[in-house]
Amino acid sequence: WLSEDRGLIGALLAPNQDPVAAAAEIRRFGDHPRVGCVFLPTCCVDPLYGHRSYDPMYDAAQEFGLPVALHSVQALNPVFPFNLQAFETAFSAHVISHAVSMVANAMSMLETGVPVRFPDLKIVFTESGVTWVPWLGMRLDKEYSERRREVPLLTERPSHYLYGMYFATQPIEEPERMRDMALMMEVFGGENSVVFASDWPHHDFDHPDKVLQIPISDDAKRKVMGGNGARLLGLEVPAR
């Protein structure tokens, strides 16, 4: 597909159960001109992605300049954060599963200093919306003011590293007042880190029109709808 359709950019699926094998897979295909990132599923992943056993995988991704894209799903598993058996409805389980899986893995990566130990590694969180980002940043900064000795690799506030990552829109939150989304994005600098994702044809796909309803500047919309994604994947944007 990637060799025949010049409109496609592929994501390399890393077997996260074996990080050494994942690193070998990245090095095997990392210089393919149509491979744009490394796909990391978060379905019941154990240990979380901050664990140092994943270092060979991150090292290879950084070596080839490939972002790692965490993708959340809903699953039922006795291991946090997928111990969803307490809920009686898919309504509740779906609300929390995607965002919490991202929160858990982001915290894990921060507590072990992944963005410090791999400073050139780009990290993107997909299929979890974006409103959890400022909440997590503020909670982490609060905790950092009291327990920074436990995370000695972090020389800046945790939000500094978190807000330097990327976040896909889908499934974008749809508050009654869309200006609330603009305020949330302003908190974490989403103009430069949010990337449009459709997830079409799933039932909860993001329609471009809905994302474009967020009252941000035209320049910010251009970044969200394409510019940030091109920068994340290292794609050339045609001059207009």
Side-chain angles (χ1 to χ4, degrees), residues 31-239:
D31 58 356
H32 191 293
R34 309 302 291 174
V35 169
C37 66
V38 176
F39 180 90
L40 298 182
T42 62
C43 183
C44 309
V45 61
D46 184 28
L48 296 172
Y49 278 125
H51 197 275
R52 290 178 182 267
S53 63
Y54 297 114
D55 283 5
M57 185 172 66
Y58 296 143
D59 185 60
Q62 180 176 252
E63 176 185 339
F64 283 88
L66 293 175
V68 291
L70 282 71
H71 183 277
S72 65
V73 295
Q74 179 178 329
L76 185 64
N77 187 282
V79 177
F80 177 82
F82 286 104
N83 48 341
L84 304 175
Q85 65 273 10
F87 297 108
E88 297 183 4
T89 61
F91 169 85
S92 294
H94 194 260
V95 164
I96 196 171
S97 61
H98 286 234
V100 170
S101 68
M102 295 292 98
V103 167
N105 280 287
M107 291 171 60
S108 176
M109 297 174 89
L110 287 169
E111 71 176 352
T112 64
V114 169
V116 177
R117 295 185 290 112
F118 300 95
D120 296 324
L121 180 67
K122 296 178 181 177
I123 302 169
V124 55
F125 298 90
T126 66
E127 195 149 353
S128 56
V130 300
T131 56
W132 60 271
V133 181
W135 172 83
L136 180 59
M138 286 186 257
R139 293 301 305 170
L140 287 171
D141 285 355
K142 162 63 176 171
E143 203 69 21
Y144 183 73
S145 67
E146 302 176 12
R147 303 179 188 274
R148 68 182 65 191
R149 294 181 184 86
E150 297 180 22
V151 285
L153 289 176
L154 304 186
T155 58
E156 303 281 353
R157 288 172 174 252
S159 63
H160 168 81
Y161 305 100
L162 179 67
Y163 296 169
M165 300 175 186
Y166 291 80
F167 310 93
T169 59
Q170 196 277 331
I172 193 69
E173 293 82 1
E174 300 182 15
E176 184 176 351
R177 302 178 306 175
M178 289 302 284
R179 66 177 179 272
D180 291 344
M181 285 299 301
L183 292 172
M184 296 288 275
M185 288 178 59
E186 183 180 350
V187 172
F188 68 96
E191 173 182 337
N192 297 307
S193 61
V194 171
V195 297
F196 173 75
S198 69
D199 202 39
W200 185 88
H202 288 183
H203 70 93
D204 59 348
F205 75 95
D206 279 10
H207 195 290
D209 286 349
K210 175 55 67 173
V211 178
L212 289 170
Q213 287 176 15
I214 302 174
I216 53 180
S217 69
D218 289 343
D219 184 56
K221 289 179 180 179
R222 281 190 290 268
K223 291 179 182 179
V224 170
M225 298 306 296
N228 292 339
R231 178 161 47 88
L232 170 67
L233 298 174
L235 305 178
E236 293 186 12
V237 179

